[in-house]
Amino acid sequence: MQTLTVEQLNTYIRDYLAGAPLLAQVAVRGELSNVRVYGGSGHIYFTLKDEKSAIPATMFGGAGKLEFRPENGMKVLCVGRVSVFVRDGQYRFYAESIEPDGIGSLAAAFEQLKRKLEAEGLFDPAHKKRIPKIPFRVGVITAENGAAVRDIINVTQRRFPPAQILLAPATVQGPTAPAELIRALHLLDDGRCDVILIGRGGGSMEDLWCFNDEQLAREIFACRTPIISAVGHETDFTICDFVADLRAPTPSAAAELAVPDVRELLRKFDNLQNRLTGLVGTRLQLLSQQLQALASRPVLASPQAYLDDKRMGLAQTEERLHRAVELFLERREQRLHVLEEKIRTLNPLAVLERGYAVVYDEAGGILRDASALAPGDRFTVRLAEGSMTGRKES
């Protein structure tokens, strides 16, 4: 029996597993749990499990390779190999690729980003800007020589010739497309345009993928100018469609939504002109009737008679006012005489004038009884005219 160190044993098991053809390249279906993504390296560590078993797993640099972000509970199909980490003596699955089970990685990434931005409110109708009814400057972001720009120009010139088209060309496919689309968006969002159209013609999900870029979606949301998204065909949907202020099924439809039909405008203007003419005619007729009614009134037919009536009424009013004032003054004068008589009656000096007198003691109090004075006390007698003093003898 051979004796091995722990390292030798783990190395032997690793090499043994590496020599097994089945374990060198195997596809495993399971559910993700304990997912950890390290930002610096991009390594993904997780557990791959089913109802009865689990295995630790790793994908080196996986964060930069996958179109979607692995999440706990996600059903996936992993392709890779099984090996042993010699230091820990633990065998694990080293994934080379991870695909969502049942849908592709692009579809999974699309749904993840859609849920994220929707939760942040970027799709909320409350944030949608109103598309102007008559835009005179239309910004267009698409490939310079693509069919989309030709369709937009043709439809715009046919429907509304006064509109000026400002083209900011950009790549609409490939890894450089998001940055170019953002650059074009910044170029047009400077107040010159009334509305901006962004999009391209149809294609596969991979072809349209640049319109699912998260940074592009945030730039569209922050744009001050109303934006119409027109990416692909009617059945194609991108993140750009959801965050834009309006979604059009095709570039041609975007142009139709952006500008009005000049023939329809002329028809509406004709209708408005006819209505306005009718309203003005009716109003003039009504004012003419009112003017005739006013002209036939006596005040206008015979102004002097009207003035004489008003002058007579004013004279009568003046006379009534004078009578009212005189009557008011008479009543006040009578009231004054009555009060004057009452005051005269109540005046104590009036009693003295009838021959009566008032006797005061030395303190100034009124004497009503002679017994109130002692012999020798002085007193004062007040008459109607003057006063005199005296002394009680006995």
Side-chain angles (χ1 to χ4, degrees):
M1 180 177 63
Q2 184 178 1
T3 301
L4 303 174
T5 65
V6 175
E7 181 184 7
Q8 289 173 333
L9 177 61
N10 287 342
T11 301
Y12 178 82
I13 296 174
R14 182 196 64 188
D15 295 342
Y16 180 82
L17 293 178
L22 176 64
L23 302 181
Q25 187 75 13
V26 61
V28 182
R29 178 179 284 109
E31 179 182 317
L32 297 179
S33 66
N34 301 320
V35 178
R36 304 184 307 280
V37 180
Y38 291 90
S41 62
H43 300 335
I44 303 175
Y45 296 89
F46 58 96
T47 299
L48 192 61
K49 67 178 184 178
D50 56 19
E51 293 82 359
K52 298 181 179 180
S53 187
I55 182 174
T58 301
M59 184 176 185
F60 295 118
K65 299 176 182 178
L66 301 179
E67 296 289 350
F68 68 100
R69 183 179 179 86
E71 298 176 346
N72 292 329
M74 183 179 289
K75 304 291 185 180
V76 295
L77 179 65
C78 299
V79 176
R81 60 187 175 85
V82 178
S83 185
V84 172
F85 187 35
V86 174
R87 189 191 68 182
D88 297 339
Q90 184 184 47
Y91 83 94
R92 66 175 48 236
F93 183 81
Y94 291 91
E96 298 173 0
S97 67
I98 302 176
E99 291 284 343
D101 191 16
I103 60 174
S105 59
L106 290 181
F110 176 84
E111 291 300 329
Q112 284 182 335
L113 181 58
K114 181 182 175 183
R115 290 196 301 270
K116 176 183 178 181
L117 298 182
E118 186 173 18
E120 294 182 20
L122 269 69
F123 304 161
D124 192 339
H127 298 303
K128 304 294 185 185
K129 293 178 284 295
R130 184 179 61 85
I131 307 300
K133 293 185 179 298
I134 305 179
F136 288 95
R137 289 188 179 90
V138 179
V140 178
I141 301 175
T142 189
E144 185 174 10
N145 298 316
V149 69
R150 293 195 298 271
D151 292 342
I152 290 173
I153 292 174
N154 291 336
V155 172
T156 303
Q157 291 181 342
R158 172 176 54 83
R159 288 176 60 85
F160 193 62
Q164 179 184 3
I165 297 178
L166 304 179
L167 176 63
T171 302
V172 292
Q173 184 175 333
T176 64
E180 292 193 30
L181 291 170
I182 292 173
R183 177 195 58 80
L185 194 63
H186 290 168
L187 185 64
L188 293 180
D189 189 29
D190 60 356
R192 291 181 298 166
C193 298
D194 299 314
V195 64
I196 296 175
L197 278 57
I198 183 171
R200 55 157 288 167
S204 65
M205 190 172 192
E206 291 79 3
D207 295 337
L208 307 180
W209 190 250
C210 61
F211 292 95
N212 294 320
D213 182 78
E214 180 176 353
Q215 186 58 37
L216 175 60
R218 296 188 182 278
E219 294 292 341
I220 290 175
F221 180 78
C223 192
R224 294 168 297 176
T225 308
I227 293 182
I228 300 177
S229 174
V231 181
H233 298 304
E234 188 169 357
T235 56
D236 297 319
F237 283 90
T238 64
I239 297 298
C240 191
D241 293 327
F242 292 109
V243 75
D245 299 298
L246 183 64
R247 185 244 176 191
T250 64
S252 298
E256 292 182 356
L257 292 172
V259 297
D261 189 344
V262 68
R263 293 169 297 183
E264 181 65 18
L265 287 179
L266 291 175
R267 187 186 64 80
K268 289 182 178 180
F269 288 153
D270 288 340
N271 291 339
L272 289 175
Q273 184 178 9
N274 293 335
R275 289 182 58 191
L276 183 61
T277 302
L279 290 174
V280 171
T282 302
R283 181 63 175 168
L284 289 176
Q285 183 178 3
L286 178 61
L287 292 176
S288 177
Q289 293 173 352
Q290 292 177 347
L291 182 61
Q292 292 176 0
L294 290 173
S296 62
R297 295 182 62 178
V299 65
L300 295 178
S302 180
Q304 187 60 45
Y306 175 80
L307 292 176
D308 291 342
D309 289 342
K310 292 299 181 183
R311 187 178 292 111
M312 182 61 68
L314 181 61
Q316 292 176 349
T317 301
E318 183 180 7
E319 184 179 353
R320 287 196 299 270
L321 181 60
H322 280 298
R323 286 202 302 267
V325 171
E326 290 175 355
L327 180 60
F328 175 79
L329 292 177
E330 289 177 2
R331 290 176 178 175
R332 288 296 179 180
E333 186 177 1
Q334 292 174 0
R335 177 63 176 167
L336 184 60
H337 289 325
V338 172
L339 293 176
E340 184 179 6
E341 187 63 28
K342 286 184 178 180
I343 291 174
R344 185 180 294 107
T345 302
L346 296 175
N347 187 358
L349 296 179
V351 177
L352 297 181
E353 290 177 354
R354 295 199 299 272
Y356 292 94
V358 181
V359 182
Y360 299 92
D361 60 18
E362 290 181 318
I366 298 176
L367 292 174
R368 294 179 176 80
D369 189 349
S371 62
L373 294 175
D377 288 345
R378 296 182 67 82
F379 59 87
T380 300
V381 179
R382 173 70 183 272
L383 303 173
E385 297 292 339
S387 61
M388 58 184 178
T389 60
R391 186 188 303 273
K392 185 177 180 180
E393 293 181 353
S394 60

